[in-house]
Amino acid sequence: MTEATLVGLSEEDVYLFNQGSSYHSYRFMGAHPAVVNGMHGVRFAVWAPNAKEARVIGSFNSWDGSGHVMRQVGTTGVHALFIPYLTEGEVYKYELVKGDGTPIRKADPYAFHAERRPGTASIVTDLAGYAWNDSGWIRHKNSHTPYANPLLIYEAHAGSWKVKGKEIFYTYEELADELVPYVSELGYSHIELMPLAEHPLDQSWGYQVTGFYSATSRYGSPKGLMRFVDACHQHGLGVILDWVPGHFCKDDHGLRMFDGSPLYEGYDANRAELPLWGTLAFDFSRREVVSFLISNALYWMDLYHIDGLRVDAVANMLNLHMDKPPHMHTYNDIGGRDNLDALRFLKRLNEMVFHYYPDALMIAEDSSAWPAVTSPTYKGGLGFNFKWNMGWMNDMLRYMSLHPDERPHHHGLITFSLCYAFSENYVLPLSHDEVVHGKRSLLNKMPGSYEEKFAQLRLFYGYWMTHPGKKLLFMGGEWGQFDEWKDGDMLDWMLLDYDSHRDMLGYVRALNHEYRSLPSLWEKDAEPEGFQWIDVHNAQQSVISFIRRGRSSFSVVIANFSNRDYGDYRVGVPELGLYEIRIQSGNNAFCAPESKPPDGYRTEGASWHGYDQSISLHLPPYTFMLLAPREGDTF
């Protein structure tokens, strides 16, 4: 009988883990309630190849591991032990003896639950047994490709959407009862949650992780998170999780120097250290690290039914020099700055995710110019299916912050994105990163008076919603949060007592539902045929107009970024007939359906913009208009 068999492990599982080919390693690593030789208990397994000895310590043995020494499985570096009579809820750590005989105490890298900070121990947790009720959502998801369907994402930070007091957070269940119906009613298709893996510091927002397999205990139990995801699915909402495979924090109980030597990080400190963030980069050349990370991605989809991952800091993973001073620069084996191990990892990650979950969303948060990020790996791409369009975001936020008198001189900021809009499958992000650290809220980026700020934000949202690409908006943006995001406090919900913010919420709700209802705005998001300029050159008046096309429908968009009123503005259109106003932002409150012109705009036989017919309309300052031909109504 082998060492693996003695503790209930499969030799094949451990072998594949060592080879970097174990993609469900959470099924045997960590702490698992089990039955071995007829006895109920918990089996522990940890990878610590450089430890002289590994022990399990916890409340059950008064934190003295001398009686619970783990057995190393051959030369695999995996230590394992079955302890009879232990049950779910036991608090534990691993005590690892370094080469010099010094013991160190570490949380379990594969722990499914952890103590709430400032506690650092792991908790034996059985994730089986939750009764899911999302089969209808899964069938829907399997039959709807994300490329040719609406993708409208509400990004939320669970610790500040709403709170009940200082560091008194809503639980996963309470968020299921309040956040989920709120987002669903506003018309979003997905919720994106900032990282929920266990992390010691609230102000890191979850991006500096100690427990990659532990849903943070700040908001409750793992089963509570399952209920939240289930509630989302029952409301027709997909769930995207921010995922951070590029680095980890240095807290003593975490992955740093895990068995007394660099293990999850590389031996070269210049490559491992990320000085800007104060964290350590994963060593993607270690096969066991690859097993750990790819398994983690699949874990969230397998056990929590997460629909997709927004992969953080892809550019940082790929570039060995990014955010590092020259004396820390390292080079790959062919003398370049590309992290070839990270490149191979990302490709393998996406291959495995789509192998097991073909309908998953894998979204790269990537600010680099790396080509073919959203192309399949067999075509030389990285294999993601979406990428954040950081160029569009930077250009548009810069443009919108300009005084209207300056905008004619920077017209290219609103038009240049169409030169590359179809080079990748893009998401247009208005994320938390743009409304924090002194950058001001989206509303407060707009120049001018209080009223002008609201008018321009409505205009901006309309252009964003009709520009090719999927959409993401950070919480609070839907009603015009005035102050920038404060991660230690909840959003300023009292602003909804004021008409301007209530009207903004109503406008965003209407805009969201119009987007979802018009296939022309999303059926051909990734195809050049889905977009056509009507007038791209009107820099003097700061007005643009264009057509969005679906498979069998089209819409017309006119956006006036100036503070001037154009009483008779003529726009060429491709077909005869009546063009209804689907939504108009207006200079004050948005134009509700009852205030629209009853017959819309009927075409006239005046050639304009290269078309044989055109419409004449009133275009107030800072106005966005979305028009669509009334079906069957032609001359």
Side-chain angles (χ1 to χ4, degrees):
M1 186 175 291
T2 67
E3 292 96 335
T5 306
L6 286 170
V7 291
L9 288 177
S10 159
E11 289 186 346
E12 181 182 9
D13 284 340
V14 177
Y15 171 79
L16 292 174
F17 174 74
N18 287 146
Q19 294 302 308
S21 302
S22 175
Y23 304 126
H24 299 90
S25 57
Y26 53 88
R27 294 177 180 172
F28 59 90
M29 297 293 286
H32 292 265
V35 179
V36 175
N37 296 328
M39 290 187 294
H40 290 266
V42 176
R43 186 192 67 228
F44 297 88
V46 63
W47 177 54
N50 302 305
K52 287 178 61 178
E53 190 172 85
R55 309 161 183 156
V56 181
I57 58 175
S59 54
F60 53 88
N61 61 13
S62 301
W63 302 95
D64 178 359
S66 58
H68 292 106
V69 178
M70 305 178 80
R71 181 192 297 266
Q72 183 163 185
V73 180
T75 59
T76 64
V78 174
H79 302 252
L81 178 68
F82 175 75
I83 303 180
Y85 311 119
L86 290 190
T87 59
E88 186 175 10
E90 295 284 359
V91 177
Y92 72 99
K93 281 188 176 182
Y94 296 120
E95 187 172 62
L96 306 174
V97 180
K98 299 194 298 182
D100 63 2
T102 306
I104 53 176
R105 293 183 171 187
K106 292 287 187 175
D108 187 349
Y110 282 88
F112 297 148
H113 199 206
E115 289 185 309
R116 180 169 174 168
R117 50 90 176 113
T120 59
S122 303
I123 303 172
V124 175
T125 303
D126 188 352
L127 296 183
Y130 180 82
W132 288 91
N133 294 289
D134 62 351
S135 57
W137 165 260
I138 292 173
R139 286 194 300 272
H140 166 83
K141 184 172 66 168
N142 290 343
S143 62
H144 288 74
T145 171
Y147 305 110
N149 281 283
L151 184 59
L152 182 55
I153 304 166
Y154 185 86
E155 185 191 23
H157 177 249
S160 58
W161 183 73
K162 284 185 179 179
V163 298
K164 291 177 284 187
K166 184 67 173 177
E167 297 187 4
I168 306 176
F169 303 116
Y170 272 52
T171 65
Y172 293 118
E173 291 88 349
E174 289 167 333
L175 290 168
D177 293 338
E178 292 200 31
L179 173 61
V180 171
Y182 172 81
V183 174
S184 175
E185 191 272 335
L186 286 177
Y188 291 93
S189 66
H190 288 72
I191 293 178
E192 180 175 314
L193 296 166
M194 291 169 69
L196 291 180
E198 195 58 81
H199 53 284
L201 181 66
D202 293 353
Q203 286 72 33
S204 79
W205 313 332
Y207 290 98
Q208 296 188 9
V209 176
T210 50
F212 280 80
Y213 287 82
S214 299
T216 179
S217 54
R218 285 168 177 76
Y219 316 124
S221 70
K223 297 285 177 66
L225 177 55
M226 292 177 187
R227 192 198 155 210
F228 174 87
V229 176
D230 205 3
C232 286
H233 289 170
Q234 291 175 55
H235 279 79
L237 290 168
V239 181
I240 301 166
L241 181 65
D242 270 15
W243 188 58
V244 191
H247 64 120
F248 55 91
C249 70
K250 296 181 178 180
D251 288 52
D252 287 342
H253 67 285
L255 299 180
R256 176 180 175 270
M257 300 287 287
F258 184 75
D259 60 0
S261 61
L263 191 62
Y264 288 87
E265 70 273 32
Y267 277 90
D268 185 341
N270 287 329
R271 184 168 293 192
E273 292 282 347
L274 298 174
L276 184 68
W277 299 332
T279 57
L280 293 168
F282 279 104
D283 180 2
F284 300 107
S285 70
R286 292 295 297 259
R287 290 175 291 184
E288 293 87 352
V289 170
V290 171
S291 287
F292 174 82
L293 288 171
I294 295 180
S295 293
N296 187 242
L298 294 172
Y299 162 83
W300 293 106
M301 297 179 184
D302 179 11
L303 295 180
Y304 287 93
H305 290 204
I306 296 294
D307 299 288
L309 302 174
R310 176 267 200 186
V311 181
D312 184 60
V314 169
N316 190 278
M317 294 170 67
L318 290 173
N319 188 341
L320 294 169
H321 294 184
M322 180 165 282
D323 297 327
K324 291 186 178 183
H327 73 271
M328 292 185 67
H329 287 179
T330 60
Y331 296 87
N332 61 35
D333 292 340
I334 57 176
R337 64 174 60 187
D338 298 334
N339 188 333
L340 301 179
D341 295 316
L343 178 63
R344 284 187 285 269
F345 162 74
L346 288 172
K347 290 182 176 183
R348 192 62 174 159
L349 165 71
N350 287 316
E351 288 168 354
M352 288 301 99
V353 167
F354 291 120
H355 173 76
Y356 290 101
Y357 299 97
D359 50 10
L361 293 168
M362 291 296 288
I363 305 171
E365 189 266 315
D366 176 29
S367 58
S368 76
W370 194 276
V373 171
T374 58
S375 292
T377 59
Y378 63 81
K379 291 186 176 181
L382 290 187
F384 291 93
N385 52 5
F386 289 98
K387 170 183 173 173
W388 277 18
N389 192 334
M390 311 293 277
W392 172 89
M393 178 271 298
N394 285 316
D395 285 350
M396 280 308 302
L397 293 182
R398 179 186 169 201
Y399 180 84
M400 294 306 302
S401 68
L402 294 172
H403 187 278
D405 292 344
E406 298 179 67
R407 288 175 180 169
H409 307 294
H410 300 276
H411 193 68
L413 291 174
I414 53 172
T415 62
F416 177 67
S417 58
L418 271 303
C419 295
Y420 61 87
F422 309 105
S423 62
E424 302 275 8
N425 301 319
Y426 281 117
V427 173
L428 308 183
L430 298 173
S431 75
H432 67 278
D433 278 330
E434 309 318 315
V435 295
V436 74
H437 296 326
K439 295 180 182 178
R440 296 177 295 171
S441 69
L442 293 179
L443 179 65
N444 209 15
K445 292 180 194 292
M446 306 296 135
S449 68
Y450 183 78
E451 292 77 13
E452 288 175 315
K453 288 179 182 292
F454 279 96
Q456 290 176 89
L457 186 59
R458 287 191 293 272
L459 161 66
F460 175 46
Y461 282 166
Y463 177 61
W464 164 66
M465 195 66 76
T466 54
H467 187 288
K470 309 308 182 183
K471 325 298 175 187
L472 177 142
L473 181 66
F474 184 57
M475 63 182 194
E478 70 273 20
W479 37 261
Q481 170 88 2
F482 199 85
D483 287 341
E484 69 176 19
W485 175 45
K486 303 177 290 292
D487 56 70
D489 299 307
M490 72 175 177
L491 296 176
D492 297 329
W493 291 96
M494 73 286 188
L495 291 177
L496 289 173
D497 293 337
Y498 298 90
D499 290 343
S500 296
H501 295 277
R502 273 200 311 275
D503 286 344
M504 179 64 77
L505 182 64
Y507 172 71
V508 167
R509 180 189 295 111
L511 189 61
N512 288 352
H513 285 281
E514 285 297 331
Y515 166 77
R516 300 277 307 261
S517 70
L518 287 174
S520 57
L521 299 183
W522 36 261
E523 276 187 336
K524 293 190 173 184
D525 257 333
E527 301 173 42
E529 296 79 11
F531 180 92
Q532 182 180 353
W533 284 112
I534 296 174
D535 187 3
V536 65
H537 299 299
N538 193 355
Q540 182 178 0
Q541 292 182 299
S542 297
V543 177
I544 58 171
S545 51
F546 56 86
I547 298 168
R548 290 299 314 275
R549 295 187 182 274
R551 287 191 289 268
S552 60
S553 63
F554 71 92
S555 304
V556 172
V557 174
I558 306 103
N560 177 11
F561 291 93
S562 79
N563 56 4
R564 297 185 294 278
D565 187 293
Y566 304 119
D568 181 15
Y569 193 87
R570 187 166 293 277
V571 179
V573 290
E575 291 185 7
L576 296 169
L578 181 71
Y579 285 77
E580 297 180 300
I581 301 177
R582 298 301 296 256
I583 194 165
Q584 178 174 330
S585 67
N587 198 28
N588 295 304
F590 75 99
C591 289
E594 60 270 16
S595 67
K596 293 178 183 177
D599 294 322
Y601 296 103
R602 192 168 290 278
T603 55
E604 302 170 5
S607 298
W608 213 259
H609 293 139
Y611 294 104
D612 293 335
Q613 58 281 322
S614 57
I615 57 176
S616 177
L617 46 83
H618 176 214
L619 195 58
Y622 307 132
T623 294
F624 161 82
M625 296 180 69
L626 174 62
L627 310 177
R630 180 179 292 174
E631 187 175 353
D633 192 323
T634 60
F635 291 116

